[in-house]
Amino acid sequence: MTPSPNKKNNGELNNENSKLKKSPYHFGEKLRQVREHKGYTLKVVAQKAGVSESLVSQIERNHVSPAIDTLLTLADVLDINLEFLFEEYRKERPVQIIRAAERPSVHEEETTYEELAKPSSAEHDNSSIEAYIIKIPAGSHTHRGSFGHIGQEFGIITKGTAKLNYGTKEYFLEEGDSASFSAGAPHSLENVGNGDLEAIWVVTPAERFVK
């Protein structure tokens, strides 16, 4: 027996609704406000967007969280500026300032690390990043990377002459030279000059200044 169109539509609607979840956001009021201002019915908007009338109604009442493509389609049908739609969800992205005289520092024997940028994400997050100035006196070298660790490193020599020991290879770096590498291989930075060595170093994920 062939199911009636209404039963089929109800089945599709139930299936559609089962995939939806209660919306933690409130786009609905804006969608309804613009729709009514333009004089569109729910049916007209639904047909133009290619979705069910019931779905549009539930979105307007914030009963469901629409897929992003559905939301963008509705915004296009209603000619809504996305800035207007998302303006209250724009997060503040604080700028972190570290004053020169207030840089946190850590010491590793004779080597000093002065923090330039705080880790950008949560502790031990693989997307975190940190930056610091390394200060190494003549004849000394870094230690922590001697066994390798996860992540990537980038550095530029700002003063002095350095030797980058990376795995079984050696690279000599002068002022202005830079190096980038996977931190998985054993590595260390050594001051092979007569004066102090300084370098700006960036590491991801953060590890040295994570508390």
Side-chain angles (χ1 to χ4, degrees):
M1 181 177 178
T2 303
S4 68
N6 287 339
K7 286 184 178 179
K8 183 179 179 182
N9 290 340
N10 288 339
E12 290 175 347
L13 181 58
N14 289 335
N15 183 55
E16 183 178 55
N17 289 342
S18 69
K19 298 177 182 178
L20 299 168
K21 59 182 179 180
K22 182 93 175 158
S23 175
Y25 306 107
H26 299 88
F27 305 111
E29 291 92 340
K30 291 185 175 182
L31 293 171
R32 184 176 65 251
Q33 176 187 349
V34 174
R35 177 180 63 77
E36 291 177 346
H37 178 75
K38 291 180 177 292
Y40 291 166
T41 63
L42 285 169
K43 184 176 182 179
V44 167
V45 172
Q47 288 177 339
K48 287 178 177 288
V51 297
S52 69
E53 186 176 338
S54 174
L55 177 59
V56 177
S57 176
Q58 290 185 71
I59 292 172
E60 285 191 352
R61 289 178 291 158
N62 298 306
H63 285 183
V64 296
S65 182
I68 188 63
D69 56 342
T70 300
L71 184 62
L72 294 177
T73 299
L74 290 172
D76 186 53
V77 167
L78 295 169
D79 194 25
I80 295 178
N81 188 304
L82 294 181
E83 284 287 321
F84 167 71
L85 196 60
F86 290 98
E87 61 185 348
E88 65 261 44
Y89 304 108
R90 190 180 301 152
K91 292 183 178 180
E92 288 295 324
R93 307 286 184 185
V95 174
Q96 295 183 333
I97 304 295
I98 298 179
R99 302 296 177 187
E102 301 171 357
R103 288 184 195 138
S105 63
V106 294
H107 300 274
E108 184 183 86
E109 296 186 4
E110 295 178 298
T111 300
T112 301
Y113 301 83
E114 294 184 359
E115 188 175 36
L116 294 176
K118 295 180 180 296
S120 56
S121 300
E123 183 177 3
H124 303 312
D125 186 337
N126 285 338
S127 66
S128 65
I129 188 171
E130 66 182 353
Y132 41 78
I133 296 175
I134 305 178
K135 296 183 177 180
I136 308 174
S140 294
H141 60 87
T142 60
H143 295 271
R144 184 173 293 195
S146 298
F147 300 101
H149 55 85
I150 63 170
Q152 301 284 325
E153 297 194 15
F154 164 80
I156 182 168
I157 306 302
T158 57
K159 179 181 178 181
T161 303
K163 180 174 71 171
L164 173 64
N165 301 297
Y166 184 77
T168 60
K169 296 184 177 181
E170 298 177 342
Y171 301 89
F172 289 89
L173 305 172
E174 301 289 343
E175 184 175 323
D177 292 343
S178 61
S180 58
F181 52 89
S182 169
H187 55 277
S188 64
L189 191 66
E190 183 178 350
N191 185 346
V192 293
N194 296 320
D196 291 340
L197 171 68
E198 293 187 12
I200 294 176
W201 224 255
V202 180
V203 178
T204 181
E207 58 165 39
R208 203 173 298 272
F209 284 90
V210 172
K211 298 180 176 60

